[in-house]
Amino acid sequence: MEGSIKQNELGMFADVILALHLPYSYTYRVPEILQNKIKIGQRVVVQLRNRIYSAIVVNIKQYQGNKIEEQTNTQISTSNTFSIKYILDIIDNEPIVTEKQIEFFKWVADYYIAYIGDVITAAMPASLRLKSETIVTVSPYFNADISDLNAKELAIFNIVAKKEKIALEDIKIEASSNDILKNITQLIRKDVLITDEELLNRYTPKKETFISLNPLYEDKEELRKLLDSLDKSKRSQMQVEVILKYLALAKQIGVIKKSILIDNGCNASTIATLLEKNIFVKQSSEVSRLQSNVQTHNASDIQLNEEQQKVFDNIINNWEAIDTHLIHGVTGSGKTEIYIKLIDKVLKQSTCQKEPTKQVLYMLPEIAITTQLIKRLEKYFGSRVVTYNSKFSTTERAEIWQRTMTNDKDKRFQIILGSRSSVFLPFTNLQLVIIDEEHDTSYKQNEPVPHYNGRDCALYLAKLFGAKTILGSATPNVETMFMCSNDNQISPKKRYMLHTLTKQYFDLPLPKIELVDMKQAIKEKITYGIFSQRLYDEITNALNQNKQVILFQNRRGYAPHIECNVCGYIPKCPNCDVSLVLHKESQNLECHYCGYHTTTLSYCPQCHSHSIRLVGMGTEKIEEEAQIYFPKAKVKRMDLDSTRTKNAYINIINDFASHKIDILCGTQIIAKGLDFDNVALVGVLASDTMLHYPDFRAFERTFQLLTQVSGRAGRKTAEGKVLIQTFEPQHLIMQDVKNRNYEHMYQLQIKERQMMNFPPFCRMIKIVLQHKDKEFIEKKSVEYARNLHKIFAARLFGPQTPIIARIKNLYAMEIWLKIEKNISYFKAKQYLKEYNEEFLAIKANNQIRISIDVDPV
């Protein structure tokens, strides 16, 4: 439906954003019948091209025709008279997105040089992003003559004729064919079928059937008469038993779900009979998909030690003066207890009656860590806390979204414990943001776009609300520590306040870290497979004392690659320039970049030799060898491959916590924030590969990862031990890890970065150009860089071939920009965005993919 707008004609118009790969908002006219209902933040139904979509209203204005023409960010003709489509309908009675969220979405799009439609796609649960589906029906003009239909057309007609209407995707399923569009097009031309677009709503509230006794039988005398009136037949006796079972359960738990009756042995058909007789009454009610817990402890009962109390008091005393605080505490120092006390204080602060309930965002980098932490938070805050991450279903995420924003104080979540995507939730009164393990690279979204950093987004979100931010880590980012430094030439108000914890919470000695020289061990032939004699002895000793062991290797699979001993052949991915990783459990060779897999080799396809050797080791091999050398131990692996299902993390962590597992092998998932009582030993199998990664952050990342995994030992009981197998025990970073000397590592890194002009002394942008033709992309990347060089000059580096030159059959070239702190970052990004649009507008370049990563990690 379209309307014609002329100059000087008044009307109401709405700017909307669609969850599509689109750079702009679109303007639609609001029909008069909807003008009193439409609000910013609601979803509306709009037509774009020939499809129906839902969109978010981000602006509402009364315009004259010529004023609309002045907008530069909308897809509207600039002629004096033009057509503009109407909004078709409003989906929500109330907004499901707040105005602060819209402002935040726009900031994310601008800062990370992303399309606003991509930000909406990343932000909103899929079940709230509605889109149309094609509905097929028999044409009202069809004359019932099927004589000229071929066999395939007739089959499709019969499928559609059986139903009043059917979705195009369902026809494909019933016809067992994806190749039906040509036939449907022919049927439409013959006036046999017609199509329409229908908006698909994928979110429906969960409903549960509740059973209650007819109020008539609440009177004891009437109930007695009822039971006496039922004859003694077997069927009636079953009804009596169900009624008695209901009365017993109702006395214990009150309201009874139908499912609870069935779970307690009541026959479903007997329940149906009692409903027919009006002895039972049923009611369908909306229920939460999320478990609710009752608060059992008071956070004020938490006893802080002297160091913790000092940190807590310093933060409270500087609450108004400082917006952002960094808690630099050794692993196991009790940062979480301080967080809980701060949350409690914020939530208890007096609030006026009309102000929405105060809210807290508690961010963690890994889903696995939330498994343990949610229990600790529920212990003090009960049903006010909820977890939000990608392991939840789309309907569960939609419910959390709505309950974060709801005006019903009894239903609103106050504490969100989430991964990076939780920054997009519709907070109404955010007062505190906690970013734990702030150094972790998992806060960065690599794929798909936008390439946002959840940690940095959370800092901006807190600023939007005027909330306070607490960063916590045993190994803070160099950039974060620099923000605490007096060397940082910004105002004290904008600097971070540093707080330190140097002791473990239970006042236990920190685990002893020992470096095992693998060169010497191999030379002296004192190894047991992948284990040095020293590590083997310590594992044996820990198991003999009924203690647990963690073995760390930051590489999944069985072996990084296999190699022919005769000709040196190494199987490579046909789509990417990487070797295939052997996964012994599946007996496959797999690519960890594109997902390609093939069966493992028994002989070399190049020289036909059967002399195939495995090179390197992954977590699968560690798990296998641990089981071989310690046959009585219960061994389990935790990595991406073993935790793909929703509850896999929970099951493994709970099993390890309850000592159903003796040795836990894993990747960096086990290095982050997990808290186990009985771990006496942590073994790092291969630590050197991280040191030599070609990245200016390699030394910092190595220090962080090894220090973090070391912190899993000796957290609650006796002093733990950490053994790190390395070929370079004298390396400065290895010595810093051994001595827990963060300050030395920081000073070395900050001096080196200042000298080389790396962050925090500049800002960086990585630009990656991709195309299926290698020579073409090399040529075009030079052209792209040459034009950028006219503006950025010496700030531009490249183009250069990345470490992995081809991924998913696309060749890549990298270009880097370094922007000084005294240069406008916004203007630099704005120019880059405009240049990209010009470059891709050239017909010869429209097949090039350009990815821009702002502040890469």
Side-chain angles (χ1 to χ4, degrees), residues 626-690:
Q627 199 65 77
I628 291 170
Y629 288 103
F630 308 100
K632 294 181 180 179
K634 296 180 282 292
V635 183
K636 191 76 175 178
R637 172 170 49 92
M638 190 161 88
D639 55 21
L640 182 63
D641 298 314
S642 65
T643 56
R644 294 190 185 277
T645 59
K646 180 179 178 180
N647 295 317
Y649 287 110
I650 299 171
N651 295 336
I652 294 172
I653 288 169
N654 288 344
D655 285 351
F656 193 65
S658 59
H659 207 153
K660 293 179 182 176
I661 300 169
D662 298 309
I663 301 175
L664 181 63
C665 314
T667 55
Q668 59 179 332
I669 295 173
I670 63 172
K672 303 175 182 181
L674 294 173
D675 191 5
F676 299 113
D677 295 353
N678 199 41
V679 176
L681 176 67
V682 168
V684 179
L685 277 299
S687 58
D688 304 309
T689 52
M690 297 177 284

Coordinates of all heavy atoms in Angstrom, one line a residue, residues 626-690:
A626 N 46.5 -40.0 29.0 CA 46.3 -39.9 30.5 C 45.6 -41.2 30.9 O 45.9 -41.8 32.0 CB 45.4 -38.7 30.8
Q627 N 44.7 -41.7 30.1 CA 44.0 -42.9 30.4 C 44.9 -44.2 30.3 O 44.8 -45.1 31.1 CB 42.8 -43.2 29.4 CG 41.8 -44.1 29.9 CD 41.0 -43.6 31.1 OE1 40.2 -42.8 31.1 NE2 41.4 -44.2 32.3
I628 N 45.9 -44.1 29.4 CA 46.9 -45.2 29.2 C 47.8 -45.2 30.4 O 48.0 -46.3 31.0 CB 47.7 -45.0 27.9 CG1 46.8 -45.3 26.7 CG2 48.9 -46.0 27.9 CD1 47.4 -44.9 25.4
Y629 N 48.4 -44.1 30.8 CA 49.4 -44.0 31.9 C 48.8 -44.0 33.3 O 49.5 -44.3 34.2 CB 50.3 -42.9 31.7 CG 51.3 -43.0 30.5 CD1 51.1 -42.4 29.3 CD2 52.4 -43.9 30.6 CE1 51.9 -42.6 28.2 CE2 53.2 -44.1 29.5 CZ 53.0 -43.4 28.3 OH 53.8 -43.6 27.3
F630 N 47.5 -43.7 33.4 CA 46.9 -43.7 34.7 C 45.5 -44.4 34.5 O 44.4 -43.8 34.6 CB 46.6 -42.2 35.2 CG 47.9 -41.4 35.1 CD1 48.1 -40.5 34.1 CD2 48.9 -41.6 36.1 CE1 49.3 -39.8 34.0 CE2 50.1 -40.8 36.1 CZ 50.3 -39.9 35.0
P631 N 45.6 -45.7 34.4 CA 44.4 -46.5 34.0 C 43.3 -46.5 35.0 O 42.2 -46.8 34.7 CB 45.0 -47.9 33.7 CG 46.3 -47.9 34.5 CD 46.8 -46.6 34.4
K632 N 43.7 -46.3 36.3 CA 42.6 -46.3 37.3 C 41.9 -45.0 37.5 O 40.9 -44.9 38.2 CB 43.3 -46.7 38.7 CG 43.8 -48.2 38.7 CD 44.4 -48.5 40.1 CE 44.9 -49.9 40.1 NZ 45.5 -50.3 41.4
A633 N 42.4 -44.0 36.9 CA 41.8 -42.6 37.0 C 40.6 -42.5 36.0 O 40.6 -43.0 34.9 CB 42.9 -41.6 36.7
K634 N 39.7 -41.7 36.4 CA 38.6 -41.3 35.6 C 38.9 -40.1 34.8 O 39.1 -39.0 35.5 CB 37.3 -41.1 36.4 CG 36.8 -42.4 37.1 CD 35.5 -42.2 37.9 CE 35.8 -41.5 39.2 NZ 36.6 -42.4 40.2
V635 N 39.1 -40.1 33.5 CA 39.6 -39.0 32.7 C 38.5 -38.5 31.8 O 37.7 -39.2 31.2 CB 40.8 -39.5 31.8 CG1 41.3 -38.3 31.0 CG2 41.8 -40.1 32.7
K636 N 38.4 -37.2 31.7 CA 37.3 -36.5 30.9 C 38.0 -35.3 30.2 O 38.9 -34.7 30.7 CB 36.2 -36.1 31.7 CG 34.9 -35.6 31.0 CD 34.2 -36.8 30.4 CE 32.9 -36.4 29.8 NZ 32.1 -37.5 29.2
R637 N 37.4 -35.0 29.0 CA 37.9 -33.9 28.2 C 36.8 -32.8 28.1 O 35.7 -33.1 28.0 CB 38.3 -34.4 26.8 CG 38.6 -33.4 25.8 CD 39.2 -34.0 24.5 NE 38.3 -35.1 24.1 CZ 37.4 -35.0 23.2 NH1 37.1 -33.8 22.6 NH2 36.7 -36.1 22.8
M638 N 37.3 -31.5 28.2 CA 36.4 -30.4 28.0 C 37.0 -29.4 27.0 O 37.9 -28.7 27.3 CB 36.1 -29.7 29.4 CG 35.0 -28.7 29.3 SD 34.2 -28.2 30.8 CE 35.3 -26.8 31.3
D639 N 36.4 -29.4 25.8 CA 36.8 -28.5 24.8 C 35.6 -28.2 23.9 O 34.5 -28.7 24.2 CB 38.0 -29.0 24.0 CG 37.7 -30.4 23.4 OD1 36.5 -30.8 23.3 OD2 38.7 -31.1 23.1
L640 N 35.8 -27.5 22.8 CA 34.6 -27.2 22.0 C 33.9 -28.4 21.4 O 32.7 -28.4 21.3 CB 35.1 -26.3 20.8 CG 34.1 -25.8 19.8 CD1 33.1 -24.9 20.5 CD2 34.7 -25.1 18.6
D641 N 34.7 -29.5 21.1 CA 34.1 -30.7 20.6 C 33.2 -31.4 21.6 O 32.3 -32.1 21.2 CB 35.2 -31.6 20.0 CG 36.0 -31.0 18.9 OD1 35.4 -30.4 18.0 OD2 37.3 -31.0 19.0
S642 N 33.6 -31.4 22.8 CA 32.9 -32.2 23.9 C 31.8 -31.4 24.5 O 31.1 -31.9 25.4 CB 33.9 -32.7 24.9 OG 34.4 -31.6 25.6
T643 N 31.6 -30.1 24.2 CA 30.6 -29.3 24.9 C 29.7 -28.6 23.9 O 29.3 -27.4 24.1 CB 31.3 -28.2 25.7 OG1 32.2 -27.5 24.9 CG2 32.1 -28.8 26.8
R644 N 29.3 -29.3 22.8 CA 28.4 -28.7 21.8 C 27.0 -28.6 22.2 O 26.2 -27.7 21.8 CB 28.6 -29.4 20.5 CG 30.0 -29.3 19.9 CD 30.0 -29.8 18.4 NE 31.4 -29.7 17.9 CZ 32.0 -28.7 17.4 NH1 31.3 -27.5 17.3 NH2 33.2 -28.7 16.9
T645 N 26.5 -29.5 23.1 CA 25.1 -29.5 23.5 C 24.9 -28.5 24.7 O 25.9 -28.1 25.3 CB 24.7 -30.9 24.0 OG1 25.5 -31.3 25.0 CG2 24.8 -31.9 22.8
K646 N 23.7 -28.2 24.9 CA 23.3 -27.1 25.8 C 23.9 -27.4 27.2 O 24.4 -26.5 27.9 CB 21.8 -26.9 25.9 CG 21.4 -25.8 26.8 CD 19.8 -25.7 26.9 CE 19.4 -24.6 27.9 NZ 17.9 -24.4 27.9
N647 N 23.7 -28.6 27.7 CA 24.0 -28.9 29.1 C 25.4 -29.6 29.3 O 25.7 -30.0 30.4 CB 23.0 -29.8 29.8 CG 21.6 -29.0 29.9 OD1 21.6 -27.8 30.2 ND2 20.5 -29.7 29.5
A648 N 26.2 -29.7 28.2 CA 27.5 -30.4 28.3 C 28.4 -29.7 29.3 O 29.1 -30.4 30.1 CB 28.1 -30.5 26.9
Y649 N 28.5 -28.4 29.3 CA 29.4 -27.7 30.2 C 29.0 -28.0 31.6 O 29.8 -28.4 32.5 CB 29.2 -26.2 30.1 CG 29.8 -25.6 28.9 CD1 29.0 -25.0 27.8 CD2 31.2 -25.4 28.7 CE1 29.6 -24.5 26.7 CE2 31.8 -24.9 27.6 CZ 31.0 -24.4 26.6 OH 31.6 -23.8 25.5
I650 N 27.7 -27.9 31.9 CA 27.1 -28.1 33.3 C 27.5 -29.5 33.7 O 27.9 -29.7 34.9 CB 25.6 -27.9 33.3 CG1 25.3 -26.5 32.9 CG2 25.0 -28.2 34.7 CD1 23.8 -26.2 32.7
N651 N 27.2 -30.5 32.9 CA 27.5 -31.9 33.3 C 28.9 -32.2 33.6 O 29.2 -32.8 34.6 CB 27.0 -32.9 32.2 CG 25.5 -32.8 31.9 OD1 24.7 -32.4 32.8 ND2 25.0 -33.1 30.7
I652 N 29.8 -31.7 32.7 CA 31.3 -32.0 33.0 C 31.7 -31.2 34.3 O 32.4 -31.8 35.1 CB 32.1 -31.5 31.8 CG1 31.8 -32.4 30.6 CG2 33.6 -31.6 32.1 CD1 32.4 -32.0 29.3
I653 N 31.3 -30.0 34.4 CA 31.8 -29.2 35.6 C 31.2 -29.8 36.9 O 31.9 -29.9 37.9 CB 31.3 -27.7 35.4 CG1 32.2 -27.0 34.3 CG2 31.4 -26.9 36.7 CD1 31.7 -25.7 33.9
N654 N 29.9 -30.2 36.8 CA 29.3 -30.8 38.0 C 30.0 -32.1 38.4 O 30.2 -32.4 39.5 CB 27.8 -31.0 37.8 CG 27.1 -29.7 37.9 OD1 27.6 -28.7 38.4 ND2 25.8 -29.7 37.4
D655 N 30.3 -32.9 37.3 CA 31.0 -34.2 37.6 C 32.4 -34.0 38.2 O 32.8 -34.7 39.1 CB 31.1 -35.0 36.3 CG 29.8 -35.6 35.8 OD1 28.8 -35.6 36.7 OD2 29.7 -36.1 34.7
F656 N 33.1 -33.0 37.7 CA 34.4 -32.7 38.2 C 34.3 -32.2 39.6 O 35.1 -32.6 40.5 CB 35.2 -31.7 37.3 CG 36.6 -31.6 37.6 CD1 37.5 -32.7 37.4 CD2 37.2 -30.5 38.1 CE1 38.8 -32.7 37.6 CE2 38.6 -30.4 38.3 CZ 39.4 -31.5 38.1
A657 N 33.4 -31.3 39.9 CA 33.2 -30.7 41.2 C 32.8 -31.8 42.2 O 33.2 -31.7 43.4 CB 32.1 -29.6 41.2
S658 N 32.1 -32.8 41.8 CA 31.6 -33.9 42.7 C 32.6 -35.1 42.7 O 32.3 -36.1 43.2 CB 30.2 -34.3 42.4 OG 30.2 -34.8 41.0
H659 N 33.8 -34.9 42.1 CA 34.9 -35.8 42.1 C 34.5 -37.1 41.4 O 35.0 -38.2 41.7 CB 35.4 -36.2 43.5 CG 36.8 -36.6 43.5 ND1 37.7 -36.4 44.5 CD2 37.6 -37.2 42.5 CE1 38.9 -36.9 44.2 NE2 38.8 -37.4 43.0
K660 N 33.6 -37.0 40.3 CA 33.4 -38.2 39.5 C 34.4 -38.3 38.4 O 34.4 -39.2 37.6 CB 32.0 -38.0 38.9 CG 30.8 -38.2 39.9 CD 29.5 -38.0 39.2 CE 28.3 -38.1 40.2 NZ 27.0 -37.8 39.6
I661 N 35.2 -37.2 38.3 CA 36.4 -37.2 37.3 C 37.6 -36.9 38.1 O 37.7 -36.0 39.0 CB 36.1 -36.1 36.3 CG1 34.8 -36.3 35.5 CG2 37.3 -35.9 35.4 CD1 34.4 -35.1 34.7
D662 N 38.7 -37.7 37.8 CA 40.0 -37.5 38.5 C 40.9 -36.5 37.7 O 41.6 -35.7 38.3 CB 40.7 -38.8 38.7 CG 39.9 -39.7 39.6 OD1 39.5 -39.3 40.7 OD2 39.7 -40.9 39.1
I663 N 40.9 -36.7 36.4 CA 41.8 -35.9 35.5 C 40.9 -35.2 34.5 O 40.2 -35.9 33.7 CB 42.9 -36.7 34.8 CG1 43.7 -37.4 35.9 CG2 43.7 -35.9 33.9 CD1 44.8 -38.4 35.3
L664 N 40.9 -33.9 34.4 CA 40.2 -33.1 33.4 C 41.2 -32.5 32.4 O 42.1 -31.7 32.8 CB 39.4 -32.0 34.1 CG 38.5 -31.1 33.2 CD1 37.4 -32.0 32.5 CD2 37.8 -30.0 34.0
C665 N 41.0 -32.9 31.2 CA 41.9 -32.3 30.1 C 41.1 -31.3 29.3 O 39.9 -31.5 29.1 CB 42.3 -33.4 29.1 SG 42.9 -35.0 29.9
G666 N 41.7 -30.2 28.9 CA 40.9 -29.2 28.2 C 41.8 -28.1 27.6 O 43.0 -28.0 27.8
T667 N 41.0 -27.3 26.8 CA 41.6 -26.1 26.2 C 41.4 -24.9 27.1 O 41.2 -25.1 28.3 CB 40.9 -25.8 24.9 OG1 39.5 -25.7 25.1 CG2 41.2 -26.9 23.9
Q668 N 41.5 -23.7 26.6 CA 41.4 -22.5 27.4 C 40.1 -22.4 28.2 O 40.0 -21.6 29.1 CB 41.6 -21.2 26.6 CG 40.6 -21.1 25.5 CD 40.9 -19.8 24.7 OE1 41.5 -18.8 25.2 NE2 40.6 -19.8 23.4
I669 N 39.1 -23.2 27.8 CA 37.8 -23.1 28.6 C 38.1 -23.4 30.0 O 37.4 -22.8 30.9 CB 36.8 -24.2 28.0 CG1 36.4 -23.9 26.6 CG2 35.6 -24.3 28.9 CD1 35.6 -25.0 25.9
I670 N 39.0 -24.3 30.4 CA 39.2 -24.7 31.8 C 40.1 -23.7 32.5 O 40.3 -23.8 33.7 CB 39.8 -26.1 31.9 CG1 41.2 -26.2 31.2 CG2 38.8 -27.2 31.3 CD1 41.9 -27.5 31.5
A671 N 40.7 -22.7 31.7 CA 41.6 -21.8 32.3 C 40.9 -20.6 32.9 O 41.5 -19.8 33.6 CB 42.6 -21.3 31.3
K672 N 39.6 -20.4 32.7 CA 38.9 -19.2 33.0 C 38.0 -19.3 34.1 O 36.8 -19.7 34.0 CB 38.2 -18.7 31.7 CG 39.1 -18.6 30.5 CD 38.3 -18.2 29.3 CE 39.1 -18.1 28.1 NZ 38.4 -17.8 26.8
G673 N 38.4 -18.8 35.3 CA 37.5 -18.5 36.4 C 36.8 -19.7 37.0 O 35.9 -19.5 37.9
L674 N 37.1 -20.9 36.7 CA 36.4 -22.1 37.3 C 37.0 -22.3 38.7 O 38.2 -22.1 38.9 CB 36.6 -23.3 36.4 CG 35.8 -23.3 35.1 CD1 36.2 -24.5 34.3 CD2 34.3 -23.2 35.3
D675 N 36.1 -22.7 39.6 CA 36.5 -22.8 41.0 C 36.3 -24.2 41.5 O 35.1 -24.6 41.7 CB 35.7 -21.8 41.8 CG 36.2 -21.6 43.3 OD1 37.3 -22.2 43.6 OD2 35.6 -20.9 44.0
F676 N 37.3 -25.0 41.7 CA 37.2 -26.3 42.2 C 38.0 -26.5 43.5 O 39.1 -26.0 43.7 CB 37.7 -27.3 41.2 CG 37.0 -27.3 39.9 CD1 37.6 -26.8 38.7 CD2 35.6 -27.7 39.8 CE1 36.9 -26.8 37.5 CE2 35.0 -27.6 38.6 CZ 35.6 -27.2 37.4
D677 N 37.4 -27.3 44.4 CA 38.0 -27.4 45.8 C 39.2 -28.3 45.9 O 40.0 -28.1 46.7 CB 36.9 -27.9 46.8 CG 35.8 -26.9 46.9 OD1 35.9 -25.8 46.4 OD2 34.8 -27.3 47.6
N678 N 39.2 -29.3 45.0 CA 40.1 -30.5 45.3 C 41.2 -30.6 44.3 O 41.9 -31.7 44.2 CB 39.3 -31.8 45.3 CG 40.0 -32.9 46.0 OD1 40.6 -32.7 47.0 ND2 39.9 -34.1 45.4
V679 N 41.5 -29.5 43.5 CA 42.5 -29.6 42.4 C 43.9 -29.4 43.1 O 44.2 -28.2 43.6 CB 42.3 -28.6 41.3 CG1 43.4 -28.7 40.3 CG2 41.0 -28.9 40.6
A680 N 44.7 -30.4 43.1 CA 46.1 -30.2 43.7 C 47.1 -29.9 42.6 O 48.2 -29.4 43.0 CB 46.5 -31.5 44.4
L681 N 46.9 -30.3 41.4 CA 47.9 -30.1 40.3 C 47.3 -29.6 39.0 O 46.3 -30.1 38.6 CB 48.6 -31.5 40.1 CG 49.6 -31.5 39.0 CD1 50.9 -30.7 39.4 CD2 50.0 -33.0 38.7
V682 N 48.0 -28.7 38.4 CA 47.7 -28.3 37.0 C 48.9 -28.5 36.2 O 50.0 -28.1 36.6 CB 47.3 -26.8 37.0 CG1 47.3 -26.3 35.5 CG2 45.9 -26.5 37.6
G683 N 48.8 -29.2 35.1 CA 49.9 -29.5 34.2 C 49.6 -28.8 32.8 O 48.5 -29.0 32.3
V684 N 50.6 -28.1 32.4 CA 50.5 -27.4 31.0 C 51.4 -28.2 30.1 O 52.6 -28.3 30.3 CB 50.9 -25.9 31.1 CG1 50.8 -25.3 29.7 CG2 50.0 -25.2 32.1
L685 N 50.8 -28.8 29.1 CA 51.6 -29.8 28.3 C 52.5 -29.1 27.2 O 53.6 -29.6 27.0 CB 50.6 -30.7 27.6 CG 50.1 -32.0 28.3 CD1 51.3 -32.9 28.7 CD2 49.3 -31.6 29.6
A686 N 52.0 -28.1 26.6 CA 52.9 -27.4 25.5 C 52.6 -25.9 25.6 O 51.5 -25.5 25.1 CB 52.6 -28.0 24.2
S687 N 53.5 -25.2 26.1 CA 53.2 -23.7 26.4 C 53.9 -22.8 25.4 O 53.6 -21.6 25.4 CB 53.7 -23.4 27.8 OG 55.1 -23.7 27.9
D688 N 54.8 -23.3 24.5 CA 55.7 -22.5 23.7 C 55.0 -21.9 22.5 O 55.4 -20.9 22.0 CB 57.0 -23.2 23.4 CG 57.7 -23.7 24.6 OD1 57.9 -22.9 25.5 OD2 58.0 -24.9 24.6
T689 N 54.0 -22.7 21.9 CA 53.4 -22.3 20.7 C 52.9 -20.9 20.7 O 52.9 -20.1 19.8 CB 52.4 -23.2 20.2 OG1 51.4 -23.4 21.3 CG2 52.9 -24.6 19.9
M690 N 52.3 -20.5 21.9 CA 51.7 -19.2 22.0 C 52.7 -18.1 22.0 O 52.4 -16.9 21.5 CB 50.9 -19.1 23.4 CG 49.7 -20.1 23.5 SD 48.9 -20.1 25.1 CE 50.1 -21.0 26.1

